[in-house]
Amino acid sequence: MLDTLLADRGTAMALAALLGLLVGSFLNVVILRLPPRLFWAWRRDARELLELPADPSPAPPGLVLTRSACPHCGHRLAWYENLPLLSWLALRGRCRACKAPISRQYPIVEALTALVFAAVVWRFGTGLEAAGALVFSGLLLALSGIDWRTRYLPDTLTYPLLWLGLLASLATLYITPAQAIVGALVGYLSLWTVYWGFKLATGKEGMGHGDFKLLAALGAWCGVSAILPIVLLSSLVGAIIGGLGLALQGRDRATPIPFGPFLAIAGWIWFLFGSELMALYWALMLPGGAPP
């Protein structure tokens, strides 16, 4: 039965979108709860190392077992208030108990994850390649959301993304092990070099260390030949989205914005459509010809 459904691309994409809604709901939890838990654990460990009294504040909510609640009044959400996208629409974006507005992040992340998952199945089908691409996409979405909110890319997500890319290369799902290893190395060192060059020239930090690791992970999934296109594409995406965001918020260009989401967007686009984009580039550069 399932094999028959997945054999039809339209049905498979619809099922992938449904899965994306469910995964997107969990990604919202990760985006909102993982940073506070990490920060709390670091403070706890620092106090222990410095032999200070333990912090009496309770640990932030966990990622899995703690039920979702309204951040304004603490109302615990029933199952029918926690349906991806549908509940937000039914409640008209407000808490059922206190009528406080519910962040638009919830439906945006859920809908975006559904679209991304459907695109992955459209591109890769329903096999092992698609499974790996779904994991890749989900981690990029979580990292983008966290960096956008906190300007921080946690190692707890970037390192698994890197190692999974290297692991996928062992099965040659997308690229060879050699391409993945060199891609990870060049991805890390390229932004590391830019970081130190900028810091030595200006005395300021132009980006965070998490950006190095994220580009290394993208290199492990896409290969060394994708590093330059991803950097160039992320700069273009950043100029468009970042500039538009600053304009809508009435802020000047001196306002710092995270680079991680733009790297993630560019990496995802290249991962899915890199060969088509390269073919388009050569068609524009050499009309009627072929790349060297």
Side-chain angles (χ1 to χ4, degrees), residues 17 35 40 42 67 93 131 144 146 177 191 207 212 230 232 235 240 275 278-279:
W40 178 85
W42 294 337
R67 287 176 54 190
S144 298
I146 291 173
L191 287 189
M207 64 182 65
F212 317 160
I230 287 174
L232 295 176
S235 300
I240 296 173
S275 57
M278 187 59 72

Side-chain angles (χ1 to χ4, degrees), residues 164-185:
L164 286 171
L166 296 174
L167 183 62
S169 74
L170 294 178
T172 322
L173 280 182
Y174 314 105
I175 55 177
T176 66
Q179 291 172 322
I181 293 171
V182 177
L185 180 64

Side-chain angles (χ1 to χ4, degrees), residues 196-222:
W196 279 108
F198 184 82
K199 187 171 184 178
L200 290 173
T202 65
K204 301 177 182 179
E205 295 186 358
M207 64 182 65
H209 292 205
D211 296 322
F212 317 160
K213 302 167 190 175
L214 177 56
L215 188 55
L218 293 174
W221 284 86
C222 303

Side-chain angles (χ1 to χ4, degrees), residues 73-135:
C73 68
H75 166 67
R76 297 286 182 181
L77 302 186
W79 67 267
Y80 51 84
E81 296 175 281
N82 210 22
L83 297 174
L85 194 56
L86 296 178
S87 293
W88 191 90
L89 293 173
L91 294 170
R92 298 183 179 180
R94 293 189 175 277
C95 172
R96 185 167 65 91
C98 68
K99 307 304 179 184
I102 302 172
S103 172
R104 293 182 180 178
Q105 174 189 311
Y106 294 99
I108 290 174
V109 170
E110 291 163 358
L112 183 59
T113 307
L115 292 173
V116 165
F117 276 30
V120 165
V121 169
W122 175 82
R123 178 67 176 83
F124 292 106
T126 56
L128 191 58
E129 282 186 330
L134 290 176
V135 173

Side-chain angles (χ1 to χ4, degrees), residues 8-23:
D8 178 73
R9 173 167 291 189
T11 303
M13 290 175 61
L15 291 175
L18 179 59
L19 175 63
L21 288 175
L22 299 174
V23 172

